[in-house]
Amino acid sequence: MKILVPVKRVIDYNVKVRVKSDETGVDLANVKMSMNPFDEIAIEEAIRLKEAGAAEEIVAVSIGPEKAQDQIRQALAMGADRGLLIKTDDTVEPLGVAKLLQKVVEEEKPELVILGKQAIDDDSNQTGQMLAALLDWPQGTFASKVEKTDGKLNVTREIDGGLQTIKINLPAVVTTDLRLNEPRYASLPNIMKAKKKPLDVKDVGDYGVNVSPRLEVVKVTEPPKREAGVKVESVAELIEKLKNEAGVI
Amino acid sequence: MAVLVVADVHGNSIDDSTHKTVTAALAIGSDVDILVAGENAGDAAAAAAKISGVRKVLHADDASYAHRLAEPFADLIVSVAGDYDAILKAAATTGKNVMPRVAAKLDVMQISEIVSVDAPDTFTRPIYAGNAMQTVKSNDAKKIITVRATSFKAAEEGGSAAVEKIDAAGNPGVSEFVDENLTKSDRPELAGAKIVVSGGRALGSSDAFEEYIMPLADKLGAAVGASRAAVDAGYVPNDYQVGQTGKVVAPELYIAIGISGAIQHLAGMKDSKVIVAINKDEDAPIFQIADYGLVADLFKAVPEMTEALG
Ligand SMILES: Cc1cc2nc3c(=O)[nH]c(=O)nc-3n(C[C@H](O)[C@H](O)[C@H](O)COP(=O)(O)OP(=O)(O)OC[C@H]3O[C@@H](n4cnc5c(N)ncnc54)[C@H](O)[C@@H]3O)c2cc1C
Ligand SMILES: Nc1ncnc2c1ncn2[C@@H]1O[C@H](COP(=O)(O)O)[C@@H](O)[C@H]1O
């Protein structure tokens, strides 16, 4: 089978973001950008399925600026076979991303799409579920284990209270949780080889779907600040303060 | 405006997050209905009818809703969506799984994890692990929303809404339930607990969690949480993870033990009323948001604390 893996270029998870003073968004000038961590897990899972003989080809796709080629190249260096950038400098919301991915699926005809469960910038946790809905495919979200057995997928999902295992038909959409695997680092030779792997560049306009935003950003503000409290000297002082000052025990 | 709240049903009861979601719904419109979907979930429907401010309860009873599979559940919600201006569900794992599927079927952009209703079409939600708050106005005719339950007060009991049985919407038959492996615990549930005791990588083993964290939690009647590092290392089950990509908690008291305070962890607990940090590194970032910080070796301080609470 062919696997499609959407990867998003996001602010690196180590960067502490700053809200712009005009409240229009966060400051992304000169900050480190990376592949969304959950998407690295998605690429890794696709590679493992390929290594296990359950898949033949892995296509990495990103919707974003020219620079998102860096993240696609990283996917190729890890082991994906081909890349596709759908270029735009505008913000595309999860619904728009899902609509573009639907078109890519119609063209590429993968049997499985593996996405991250959540992009760590917008924290939406929507795109995979939306894509599954648009395609009318089953979904295995928040996966911590994926197995292909007799033409179906067994997906173990991280849910409130524990783990749930479901069996879904193929074609399907899967979204990754943190414990699915530990993504590999790309070796230097593989980084070199990735430069020669095919990477197609298209424009959002080429797909003929309306991706204009449905949500109007009114403002982006700093979260309420929490003042640092006091250091206590001993366990006895801590308990005394929790009892008499804070009144919480 | 008519608003539908999709209840969080477990077995034959409803979670408190349903009550909190009703509060968010009432801030959007005054005609609030609840959808209860489950298998033999009559008691859950009856419980939903007792929530104050609720107009009526729609009750769909069918085997296909027993395990909250996304495909039949989303189809059910879509089948009743025509009557509502907004549909809300708590941003727990079921809501996160099902609601975007509903939104896409209705061609609507979902508004995820709102923490406030600013106007019937305007909502605030955290982004970037809670390092920024985004206020958005939705231009969709129907609003599909998940609600961060910890940000809303629970609606009171005392209602007496009518319960109306509705038909199941059919099962597309593309997914099936295999099994569930739920963590058994007599402790309070993490998401709604008044006190949470969380441990981090510093514990070093699941035995240490048992020896140091659990007795303190039990003395306090607290739920137990953990950092991602502790979960990844297998010290505690996955669903103990507090943070950006785990559970969000806002208890009266949160005690972070041997946790450094990465932004991803803070995202899940910084709205707690009182935060205590126990860490041997006086420069650990967790101290920047802790109301009470104790610089100490947890292996000495925690047993002392458990002992002193007698
Ligand atoms: C995509 C993504 C999502 C993530 N989501 C989450 C999330 O939801 N939740 C989450 O928690 N993390 C999350 N993380 C991970 C996060 O970045 C941190 O790696 C993690 O929170 C660190 O866990 P920790 O504080 O237990 O470990 P560490 O950072 O290693 O801290 C251990 C602390 O213990 C202290 N210590 C050591 N020994 C002792 C002792 N004897 N007594 C007292 N103190 C001691 C040390 O001083 C140190 O401060 C995520 C990361 C990524 C990339
Ligand atoms: N612009 C994008 N380009 C490629 N993949 C994306 C994009 N936006 C979202 N995704 C995918 O959808 C997942 C969930 O994102 P979100 O719904 O925004 O939280 C991500 O982990 C990616 O796999």
Side-chain angles (χ1 to χ4, degrees):
Chain A
M1 71 179 172
K2 190 197 273 190
I3 305 178
L4 185 74
V5 183
V7 298
K8 188 177 187 187
R9 175 183 172 86
V10 297
I11 196 161
D12 186 84
Y13 80 96
N14 272 316
V15 174
K16 169 115 175 63
V17 302
R18 299 212 182 284
V19 173
K20 288 196 217 161
S21 53
D22 64 2
E23 301 194 338
T24 57
V26 303
D27 199 352
L28 293 179
N30 303 317
V31 300
K32 183 174 179 216
M33 303 295 282
S34 297
M35 190 193 302
N36 185 43
F38 288 99
D39 305 354
E40 290 186 46
I41 297 170
I43 289 282
E44 176 66 34
E45 195 62 19
I47 297 169
R48 290 188 190 187
L49 284 165
K50 188 178 165 186
E51 287 170 347
E56 290 82 46
E57 193 186 22
I58 302 163
V59 181
V61 52
S62 191
I63 293 141
E66 186 82 46
K67 280 292 225 176
Q69 290 194 31
D70 296 352
Q71 281 63 48
I72 298 175
R73 289 282 172 213
Q74 185 194 337
L76 297 175
M78 286 172 73
D81 299 292
R82 282 195 291 124
L84 168 64
L85 171 66
I86 305 178
K87 219 169 54 172
T88 175
D89 286 324
D90 299 330
T91 308
V92 184
E93 293 170 342
L95 181 64
V97 172
K99 286 181 177 180
L100 288 165
L101 292 174
Q102 181 188 13
K103 293 285 175 199
V104 176
V105 167
E106 284 163 9
E107 270 175 24
E108 294 278 350
K109 306 204 172 14
E111 242 194 311
L112 177 62
V113 185
I114 311 181
L115 306 88
K117 83 162 176 182
Q118 175 174 342
I120 60 160
D121 50 1
D122 61 29
D123 284 334
S124 290
N125 195 333
Q126 301 180 13
T127 309
Q129 299 88 313
M130 286 183 154
L131 177 63
L134 297 177
L135 294 166
D136 243 325
W137 288 6
Q139 64 191 53
T141 55
F142 325 148
S144 67
K145 192 168 172 204
V146 177
E147 271 173 337
K148 196 177 170 191
T149 43
D150 38 274
K152 297 194 180 193
L153 278 190
N154 263 6
V155 181
T156 301
R157 313 179 48 237
E158 293 199 13
I159 60 166
D160 292 335
L163 297 171
Q164 178 190 60
T165 303
I166 57 173
K167 193 192 274 292
I168 55 179
N169 289 3
L170 289 166
V173 170
V174 164
T175 75
T176 62
D177 216 317
L178 293 169
R179 258 74 56 180
L180 182 56
N181 60 49
E182 221 171 288
R184 68 193 65 192
Y185 288 102
S187 67
L188 197 57
N190 285 344
I191 293 172
M192 299 313 289
K193 265 192 254 164
K195 292 192 173 141
K196 295 199 192 79
K197 289 187 180 175
L199 197 173
D200 238 14
V201 180
K202 298 246 174 96
D203 206 83
V204 163
D206 298 340
Y207 290 85
V209 288
N210 183 353
V211 296
S212 47
R214 306 292 186 81
L215 304 179
E216 196 182 306
V217 178
V218 179
K219 62 180 179 184
V220 174
T221 55
E222 293 272 357
K225 276 248 164 0
R226 244 198 123 97
E227 297 300 322
V230 295
K231 289 253 169 73
V232 294
E233 292 304 322
S234 65
V235 168
E237 188 188 347
L238 176 61
I239 291 177
E240 189 275 320
K241 286 218 150 62
L242 290 177
K243 278 193 174 142
N244 302 323
E245 196 174 271
V248 286
I249 61 172
Chain B
M1 290 232 284
V3 186
L4 182 68
V5 168
V6 184
D8 276 329
V9 180
H10 280 109
N12 203 359
S13 59
I14 55 171
D15 286 357
D16 188 48
S17 58
T18 307
H19 297 70
K20 293 173 174 169
T21 307
V22 165
T23 300
L26 285 165
I28 297 172
S30 50
D31 296 331
V32 173
D33 296 349
I34 300 187
L35 171 63
V36 173
E39 185 184 27
N40 300 325
D43 290 351
K50 293 205 184 76
I51 301 177
S52 175
V54 172
R55 186 176 64 174
K56 71 174 174 202
V57 173
L58 307 178
H59 176 203
D61 218 287
D62 191 84
S64 56
Y65 307 130
H67 300 290
R68 306 172 299 279
L69 289 174
E71 299 79 14
F73 200 173
D75 285 357
L76 175 69
I77 299 170
V78 170
S79 77
V80 298
D83 297 335
Y84 299 96
D85 302 297
I87 307 179
L88 281 67
K89 186 158 173 57
T93 43
T94 304
K96 290 177 179 176
N97 187 30
V98 173
M99 293 304 272
R101 192 171 176 103
V102 172
K105 294 222 168 201
L106 297 170
D107 192 26
V108 168
M109 175 59 201
Q110 171 179 293
I111 308 141
S112 295
E113 282 208 72
I114 64 163
V115 297
S116 70
V117 175
D118 306 308
D121 61 356
T122 307
F123 313 91
T124 299
R125 52 181 302 267
I127 53 174
Y128 294 96
N131 283 306
M133 306 301 290
Q134 183 190 54
T135 301
V136 290
K137 180 170 174 295
S138 165
N139 292 319
D140 284 314
K142 219 179 270 303
K143 321 294 183 223
I144 304 296
I145 296 168
T146 62
V147 175
R148 180 172 282 191
T150 51
S151 298
F152 294 87
K153 278 212 170 67
E156 310 265 321
E157 301 276 317
S160 55
V163 177
E164 185 184 303
K165 280 262 190 183
I166 62 165
D167 290 335
N171 188 345
V174 290
S175 55
E176 61 188 283
F177 172 78
V178 178
D179 63 26
E180 223 156 49
N181 187 349
L182 299 182
T183 312
K184 284 184 196 65
S185 165
D186 298 331
R187 297 189 184 90
E189 214 252 310
L190 185 54
K194 284 209 158 53
I195 303 180
V196 174
V197 178
S198 282
R201 191 197 309 271
L203 271 301
S205 67
S206 58
D207 287 348
F209 247 87
E210 284 299 331
E211 192 179 336
Y212 295 91
I213 301 295
M214 307 308 181
L216 176 59
D218 291 342
K219 274 276 166 64
L220 292 166
V224 173
S227 70
R228 175 190 172 182
V231 172
D232 282 2
Y235 306 162
V236 286
N238 298 346
D239 60 304
Y240 282 39
Q241 181 179 313
V242 171
Q244 178 188 20
T245 58
K247 284 208 174 77
V248 176
V249 299
E252 299 277 299
L253 173 61
Y254 187 91
I255 307 183
I257 299 171
I259 292 178
S260 61
I263 52 172
Q264 292 86 5
H265 188 79
L266 303 189
M269 44 66 78
K270 71 186 160 89
D271 292 332
S272 305
K273 194 164 150 248
V274 174
I275 296 174
V276 169
I278 302 176
N279 195 303
K280 70 176 183 191
D281 172 10
E282 63 174 332
D283 295 323
I286 190 81
F287 287 125
Q288 288 165 22
I289 64 147
D291 299 283
Y292 302 108
L294 177 64
V295 181
D297 182 345
L298 79 90
F299 298 106
K300 276 187 64 195
V302 174
E304 203 183 318
M305 191 166 172
T306 308
E307 177 76 37
L309 288 166

